[in-house]
Amino acid sequence: MAESILKATRESFGEALCELAETNKDIVVFDADLAAATKTSTFQKAHPDRFFDCGIAEGNMIGVAAGMAAAGKIPVAASFAMFATGRAFEQIRNSVAYPELNVKIAGSHAGISTGEDGATHQCIEDIAIMRAIPGMMVLNPADHWEMKAATKAALEHNGPVYIRLGRLAIPSFNDPETYEFTLGKGITLHEGNDVAVIATGLVVNEALKAVKELEAEGINARLINIHTIKPIDRDIIIKAASETGRIITVEEHNIVGGLADAVSEVVTEECPVKITRIGVKDVFGYSGPAWELLDKFELTQPHIAKVIREVVNK
Amino acid sequence: MDSSEIKQLRVLANKARMGAILGTYHAKSGHPGGSLSAADIFTYLYFKEMNVDPQVPQWEDRDRFVLSKGHCCPSLYAVLALKGFFDWDELTSLRHVGAMLQGHPDMKGTPGIDMSTGSLGQGVSAACGMALAGKLDNKDYRVYTVLGDGEVEEGQVWEAAMFASHHKLDNLVVIVDQNGLQIDGPVAEVGGIEPLDKKFEAFGFEVIKIDGHDFEQIKDALDRAKTVKGKPTAILAKTVKGKGVSFMENQVGWHGVAPNKEQYEAATAELQAENDRLEGKC
């Protein structure tokens, strides 16, 4: 396996945009005065003629992107997850999703790992908001390699997509030699039948370390990475529920409306089992270094391992 | 334009008004007031100004139109039907379950509709995006958008206005249908949008003020807009809400209420009489 790369998914996203735009001349990128932070600045440097800074006006940015898509372009509109999905929710809903326009919305600085900026910038509702819009595809890649593959797939998919980016540099865990990304398909990262851990985004690596740690204790946890939250991979969830009988969801998002609910919707319809939800427990974040916050909110390896242990030993 | 061309436009606009009344009557809902105030503007755009092909609605070099005040689609639908984008009979199922003509414009389902709109303030941004795409591809199509004067209370309109002048979108024409009334009352009392000309000027627009029911003034303004380089144009068109149906004119109550059978018949009779007068039948 290739050496692990320490990189924020926003950087991987910026790189991927740049590369994809070399061959696809229809790709245009918009930002709302956060290009250096969302890393669309990487694209801006390489393709200045196809980059448009809309200033601090997210609603207009989404509308302009919609108009561009209506004229045949493939626009990517980036901002912080908070402002892209919060401030511009209704523009995304009415000007992009309802007419099924081919706009990609990138929400960076998602989750509490945004860190020191505090609660106003730590978006823990974006997945819930985007998931509620009919026809909106929602992606939450977990490392460098997955983000690059997901960005490519999002741009090749004809229709609206929301893609969640993180600020924090995180180590890659996927092997680029063997890694395969398919929209809407979950990935089993670790086999086991004692419990199924279903994780998404930045915390997938923490969950992976946790299930590996528990092997030594004789606990065999299955770990599934859900990079596509909508449309969700129903089959992999139903199989996990029926074969393990117990599910733990892990996400750097409010436990309301995100992965936990997406998994619950499938399980309650098809194969009801108990679900334990690890995530931000319906509270706002606060300022602090990212890893300290992830620890405080109990989203790191030791906390995930503790919950798995409790669930399995109950 | 000679007098026969103007007369022809008046006949078409009058028919569009009849279509708006027909549609809202059958829908038992909808927005007749603003549909009637903007009918002359829609008519001129589709019959004189815009380069469109009803046989190929998605023709990529066409001029684009975005009805940012999406609720006024009944008369736009009538104009599109008159132009040949779809059958006139579609108007009688406006807003019905399964109908092609939605309560607000739907670009996916309705030929000739270039952008789905209805949530105020959003269409003008989409129009900016279309205009910018045209610039990027060196195409010479133009983009037109009609806003309501109440609609300009939306902050997004001004975000878009900044964007349009910053990007020198001289292929964009923003037309404000200034009928002076919004749901809660006169715009001057509810929103306080004036001085609208100075606002658009300050945002970098070429501003032209016209009577929105005078086809020669509409023509002159749109012709002048084509000569403006390096900035977008705003045409502030003074209109009468409910224009053409005497009991609806300047009545705020006709913003979003459909005519009942009696009102439908009275409005249609009045518009039919105007049609006959224009066509010299009486």
Side-chain angles (χ1 to χ4, degrees):
Chain A
M1 173 162 163
E3 210 168 300
S4 178
I5 293 173
L6 185 70
K7 194 175 274 194
T9 51
R10 58 180 166 141
E11 300 215 31
S12 319
F13 168 76
E15 285 173 23
L17 275 188
C18 238
E19 291 162 14
L20 295 162
E22 294 290 341
T23 49
N24 191 336
K25 301 297 177 194
D26 286 333
I27 296 173
V28 291
V29 175
F30 295 90
D31 208 300
D33 196 38
L34 289 167
T38 64
K39 297 302 171 191
T40 57
S41 54
T42 314
F43 178 95
Q44 181 183 16
K45 285 186 197 90
H47 308 283
D49 53 325
R50 286 189 273 158
F51 176 85
F52 304 95
D53 203 318
C54 296
I56 310 163
E58 296 80 8
N60 179 60
M61 172 176 74
I62 297 296
V64 169
M68 273 268 190
K73 298 290 175 191
I74 305 174
V76 177
S79 180
F80 284 3
M82 187 70 256
F83 315 127
T85 70
R87 178 75 62 101
F89 160 72
E90 205 226 321
Q91 285 80 5
I92 294 174
R93 197 264 189 196
N94 278 324
S95 286
V96 174
Y98 171 53
E100 295 174 17
L101 287 168
N102 195 18
V103 177
K104 317 303 164 187
I105 296 134
S108 179
H109 291 52
I112 54 154
S113 60
T114 296
E116 292 82 349
D117 278 354
T120 54
H121 288 53
Q122 295 164 341
C123 191
I124 52 166
E125 305 91 348
D126 53 326
I127 293 171
I129 295 168
M130 290 295 104
R131 203 167 74 81
I133 300 175
M136 178 64 74
M137 181 175 277
V138 180
L139 304 180
N140 186 22
D143 77 348
H144 170 70
W145 300 112
E146 191 160 273
M147 179 55 81
K148 291 197 80 167
T151 306
K152 182 170 189 285
L155 285 159
E156 285 169 356
H157 169 79
N158 185 15
V161 179
Y162 173 67
I163 187 161
R164 188 183 218 226
L165 322 179
R167 170 177 183 252
L168 180 65
I170 50 169
S172 67
F173 59 86
N174 284 304
D175 182 352
E177 302 296 322
T178 56
Y179 179 75
E180 277 181 47
F181 180 93
T182 309
L183 286 171
K185 289 288 165 208
I187 299 170
T188 303
L189 292 173
H190 194 269
E191 295 290 351
N193 283 334
D194 293 342
V195 62
V197 179
I198 302 179
T200 186
L202 176 144
V203 289
V204 171
N205 191 41
E206 293 305 303
L208 182 60
K209 288 188 289 182
V211 298
K212 284 182 177 167
E213 172 194 337
L214 292 169
E215 270 179 357
E217 299 173 25
I219 293 174
N220 295 309
R222 181 178 305 190
L223 176 62
I224 295 164
N225 170 18
I226 295 288
H227 51 64
T228 307
I229 297 191
K230 188 180 177 183
I232 203 159
D233 186 343
R234 296 177 68 88
D235 294 343
I236 206 169
I237 294 169
I238 294 164
K239 189 162 179 281
S242 64
E243 289 176 2
T244 70
R246 189 71 206 238
I247 287 174
I248 299 168
T249 56
V250 192
E251 61 194 311
E252 191 204 4
H253 184 275
N254 197 349
I255 54 169
V256 176
L259 177 73
D261 282 1
V263 170
S264 299
E265 288 156 14
V266 176
V267 169
T268 49
E269 277 184 353
E270 305 284 351
C271 181
V273 298
K274 268 199 162 184
I275 295 177
T276 303
R277 302 175 294 166
I278 299 177
V280 180
K281 295 189 167 53
D282 207 19
V283 291
F284 289 107
Y286 41 80
S287 291
W291 282 112
E292 285 180 38
L293 288 176
L294 288 166
D295 181 55
K296 284 273 185 195
F297 282 83
E298 303 185 339
L299 298 171
T300 52
Q301 174 188 353
H303 297 288
I304 297 167
K306 181 167 171 274
V307 173
I308 296 172
R309 219 177 268 123
E310 284 168 5
V311 165
V312 171
N313 294 331
K314 209 174 234 176
Chain B
M1 279 192 303
D2 58 30
S3 60
S4 72
E5 279 178 278
I6 293 173
K7 192 170 128 183
Q8 187 195 11
L9 286 168
R10 286 196 181 129
V11 169
L12 286 163
N14 193 66
K15 287 197 162 82
R17 290 190 165 93
M18 292 173 89
I21 295 298
L22 177 74
T24 51
Y25 167 65
H26 282 280
K28 297 188 174 65
S29 67
H31 300 81
S35 297
L36 296 174
S37 66
D40 296 312
I41 295 164
F42 298 157
T43 301
Y44 187 87
L45 284 172
Y46 277 90
F47 283 91
K48 289 290 177 191
E49 178 73 6
M50 287 169 52
N51 198 11
V52 293
D53 181 354
Q55 302 308 312
V56 191
Q58 295 298 315
W59 173 39
E60 63 177 37
D61 291 332
R62 72 190 183 281
D63 290 332
R64 266 83 172 165
F65 179 70
V66 179
L67 182 59
S68 202
K69 49 178 275 181
H71 58 282
C72 297
C73 56
S75 60
L76 176 63
Y77 291 156
V79 167
L80 291 175
L82 290 167
K83 186 75 181 172
F85 280 94
F86 47 79
D87 287 345
W88 181 261
D89 289 349
E90 293 285 348
L91 291 167
T92 59
S93 61
L94 169 67
R95 291 176 167 241
H96 290 190
V97 172
M100 184 184 79
L101 299 179
Q102 293 294 296
H104 292 85
D106 169 19
M107 67 183 287
K108 294 200 308 288
T110 307
I113 295 296
D114 290 322
M115 182 65 203
S116 299
T117 52
S119 176
L120 296 177
Q122 296 192 21
V124 62
S125 295
C128 287
M130 293 173 186
L132 185 62
K135 291 270 176 197
L136 207 55
D137 289 342
N138 293 313
K139 291 194 181 267
D140 57 7
Y141 67 72
R142 295 175 66 75
V143 183
Y144 302 86
T145 182
V146 169
L147 284 77
D149 50 357
E151 180 178 9
V152 304
E153 292 157 8
E154 285 282 4
Q156 187 174 348
V157 170
W158 303 102
E159 291 184 5
M162 261 188 280
F163 183 92
S165 67
H166 181 66
H167 290 279
K168 302 182 170 58
L169 300 180
D170 52 19
N171 53 349
L172 174 73
V173 180
V174 172
I175 304 167
V176 182
D177 175 17
Q178 278 198 284
N179 61 37
L181 296 174
Q182 59 188 112
I183 303 178
D184 281 354
V187 176
E189 289 174 20
V190 178
I193 63 165
E194 294 296 345
L196 196 56
D197 51 350
K198 290 197 170 54
K199 284 191 174 76
F200 273 107
E201 274 165 16
F203 277 77
F205 280 63
E206 179 81 3
V207 177
I208 306 169
K209 295 166 85 166
I210 62 164
D211 174 343
H213 301 305
D214 183 325
F215 285 112
E216 286 188 277
Q217 289 190 38
I218 296 172
K219 178 189 187 320
D220 289 348
L222 290 167
D223 286 351
R224 189 173 132 199
K226 286 193 199 97
T227 68
V228 174
K229 297 297 167 206
K231 59 176 175 176
T233 295
I235 298 173
L236 308 185
K238 199 88 183 145
T239 60
V240 173
K241 197 155 185 165
K243 175 76 175 176
V245 177
S246 53
F247 62 89
M248 290 184 177
E249 287 188 1
N250 289 315
Q251 298 299 312
V252 74
W254 284 104
H255 173 88
V257 176
N260 62 25
K261 188 163 190 293
E262 199 174 73
Q263 291 161 334
Y264 162 70
E265 283 167 358
T268 303
E270 186 176 347
L271 292 165
Q272 186 61 50
E274 173 67 2
N275 183 75
D276 294 346
R277 189 189 68 79
L278 287 166
E279 293 188 335
K281 289 180 188 164
C282 59

